[in-house]
Amino acid sequence: FFIGDYARETINKGEGDYSPVFLSQVPRLIRRNMIPIDVAFIQTSLPDEHGYMSLGVSVDIVKSAVEKASIVIEQVNSYMPVSTEILSFILMMSISSFLTMNRC
């Protein structure tokens, strides 16, 4: 969706393409299946006592991807900040596979 230095030459040669879009529009495109999501790789906090994990600071696109993906693979990270925003939590039961890796 975004062109950075890593892709600019490829795009300019006509060997690649991109869809210009505002970041705020991506969740809606995912929910409408205009951007299909088969597998979502996400990072969360440790689960709380009720089995909820925080998406931390990456609620922008990740929440929609989790809701639409057939498979969700999660990296549990004890350093992930826990958001207080209710929309940033997902239930542990909605995850297909877990991986634990603590990174700052």
Side-chain angles (χ1 to χ4, degrees):
F1 304 115
F2 310 102
I3 296 179
D5 289 340
Y6 64 91
R8 189 162 286 126
E9 183 178 340
T10 302
I11 300 297
N12 289 338
K13 287 182 186 176
E15 297 174 353
D17 59 11
Y18 78 104
S19 299
V21 65
F22 290 111
L23 182 63
S24 62
Q25 295 173 331
V26 174
R28 182 178 54 197
L29 295 173
I30 292 171
R31 285 192 299 272
R32 291 181 176 177
N33 292 320
M34 296 176 81
I35 301 173
I37 304 289
D38 295 320
V39 179
F41 293 92
I42 66 168
Q43 182 173 229
T44 69
S45 67
L46 295 169
D48 66 14
E49 64 274 6
H50 304 290
Y52 284 94
M53 299 162 298
S54 175
L55 295 171
V57 296
S58 62
V59 184
D60 48 8
I61 296 172
V62 176
K63 182 78 171 184
S64 298
V66 167
E67 291 169 350
K68 289 304 247 181
S70 304
I71 297 171
V72 179
I73 300 172
E74 171 198 12
Q75 176 183 328
V76 179
N77 185 346
S78 63
Y79 293 108
M80 173 64 93
V82 176
S83 172
T84 57
E85 172 62 44
I86 191 69
L87 297 176
S88 73
F89 287 90
I90 59 171
L91 190 56
M92 195 163 64
M93 294 183 337
S94 63
I95 303 299
S96 307
S97 183
F98 292 90
L99 164 70
T100 301
M101 182 179 294
N102 294 320
R103 288 188 164 171
C104 292

